[in-house]
Amino acid sequence: MRKKNFYEELGVHKNATKSEIKSAYRFLAKKYHPDTGGNKDKFLTIQLAWETLSDKQKKDIYDQLISNDNNSLNCEDKKWSLEIKTKKSNSTINDHNIKDWIKQIYEPSNKSISQIIKSLNSEIKSLSADPYDDNLMEDFSQYITKSRKKIERISLSYKSKVVPSSISSIGLDLYHCFSQVQDALDELERYTQGYVDNYLFDGKEMMKEAQRIQTKMKLTKKSILS
């Protein structure tokens, strides 16, 4: 199955204005929102596309990554894995750069993301005993604060080292993954401010999407190092 990029997901041109992107997002979000019987996975993808393309810094990074290989987002995963293997075998220097990036950036970042995601269920379970208890809510808020700090460190680490062009796919997935967790934390924080269950639900769903991306990265990493 052909994998679309964010511009295609929103149905806009790469040179679309922020206003055009916003209009497209609003139309599609209303169409696919789960509360109105829409497709939940499609809605989350549209939401991630909007979060990325509406933020100048995120959009710049995204545009830079997809420009490394114009076909990277349109290749089947299997074809992309074979391409990675070919490039790996043809360049010793490139092989070193790949392993170095995975060790210094991917592995510690992925570990921190896992810690955040795995802690969420226990944090929600503790809070559910009495969401209006100040101490329990404070503990939950501390979880959000600590998790945000981890994401900030991941973001700084990610920007400190260029993703090797031959593995721009996994580099882009890592960026999407920690951005998804960051957006999930935003939703969870909104829940703490007004106890609106929709925010809690959306936050949990975003964390699940981050887990899905982690699984994809794991498979890609295995193909790179095999």
Side-chain angles (χ1 to χ4, degrees):
M1 181 179 291
R2 184 174 178 273
K3 181 167 64 174
K4 295 181 179 180
N5 64 30
F6 285 162
Y7 294 101
E8 291 174 330
E9 288 292 344
L10 294 181
V12 297
H13 191 271
K14 186 176 180 181
N15 295 324
T17 64
K18 186 173 181 178
S19 178
E20 291 172 332
I21 293 173
K22 185 175 184 179
S23 296
Y25 164 71
R26 285 182 170 177
F27 173 78
L28 293 173
K30 182 177 181 181
K31 180 179 179 181
Y32 291 104
H33 198 289
D35 289 348
T36 58
N39 184 290
K40 180 178 64 177
D41 292 334
K42 179 70 173 178
F43 174 74
L44 288 174
T45 300
I46 292 169
Q47 189 173 49
L48 180 57
W50 162 248
E51 292 289 346
T52 301
L53 300 182
S54 64
D55 183 284
K56 186 179 184 305
Q57 184 178 16
K58 290 182 180 180
K59 184 177 183 298
D60 288 344
I61 293 175
Y62 178 76
D63 288 343
Q64 182 180 4
L65 286 171
I66 62 175
S67 69
N68 287 335
D69 186 341
N70 290 330
N71 295 320
S72 65
L73 293 179
N74 297 324
C75 292
E76 297 177 357
D77 289 343
K78 183 177 181 180
K79 185 182 294 183
W80 174 246
S81 296
L82 290 174
E83 181 180 345
I84 289 174
K85 290 181 180 180
T86 301
K87 291 183 178 181
K88 172 189 171 186
S89 63
N90 290 337
S91 175
T92 302
I93 294 177
N94 190 45
D95 181 68
H96 173 76
N97 289 338
I98 290 172
K99 291 182 178 179
D100 186 55
W101 186 86
I102 288 177
K103 182 178 180 180
Q104 295 186 25
I105 308 299
Y106 167 77
E107 290 181 348
S109 297
N110 192 51
K111 181 179 179 180
S112 293
I113 291 171
S114 294
Q115 291 171 345
I116 294 172
I117 295 175
K118 289 179 180 179
S119 298
L120 179 60
N121 286 336
S122 61
E123 292 292 338
I124 291 178
K125 183 177 181 180
S126 296
L127 181 63
S128 65
D130 185 358
Y132 297 97
D133 182 277
D134 290 340
N135 292 327
L136 293 178
M137 181 56 75
E138 176 61 25
D139 289 341
F140 189 69
S141 296
Q142 283 296 316
Y143 157 76
I144 296 174
T145 299
K146 292 178 180 178
S147 297
R148 283 189 183 281
K149 290 180 179 178
K150 288 182 179 180
I151 293 298
E152 288 174 5
R153 289 194 291 270
I154 291 172
S155 180
L156 289 174
S157 174
Y158 183 83
K159 296 174 184 176
S160 70
K161 199 173 188 65
V162 177
V163 181
S165 60
S166 57
I167 58 167
S168 59
S169 177
I170 191 172
L172 184 56
D173 279 339
L174 178 60
Y175 174 76
H176 288 166
C177 191
F178 73 75
S179 294
Q180 188 79 354
V181 173
Q182 185 177 49
D183 293 339
L185 294 172
D186 289 342
E187 293 299 299
L188 296 176
E189 185 168 27
R190 292 188 183 100
Y191 170 75
T192 67
Q193 297 169 355
Y195 298 94
V196 178
D197 288 339
N198 284 348
Y199 292 135
L200 186 62
F201 173 81
D202 289 345
K204 290 168 65 177
E205 290 301 307
M206 289 177 184
M207 289 290 193
K208 289 179 181 178
E209 175 62 14
Q211 277 189 309
R212 187 195 68 76
I213 297 173
Q214 279 190 306
T215 299
K216 182 175 181 292
M217 288 193 295
K218 182 179 180 180
L219 294 174
T220 306
K221 174 174 171 282
K222 182 178 179 179
S223 71
I224 293 171
L225 300 179
S226 61

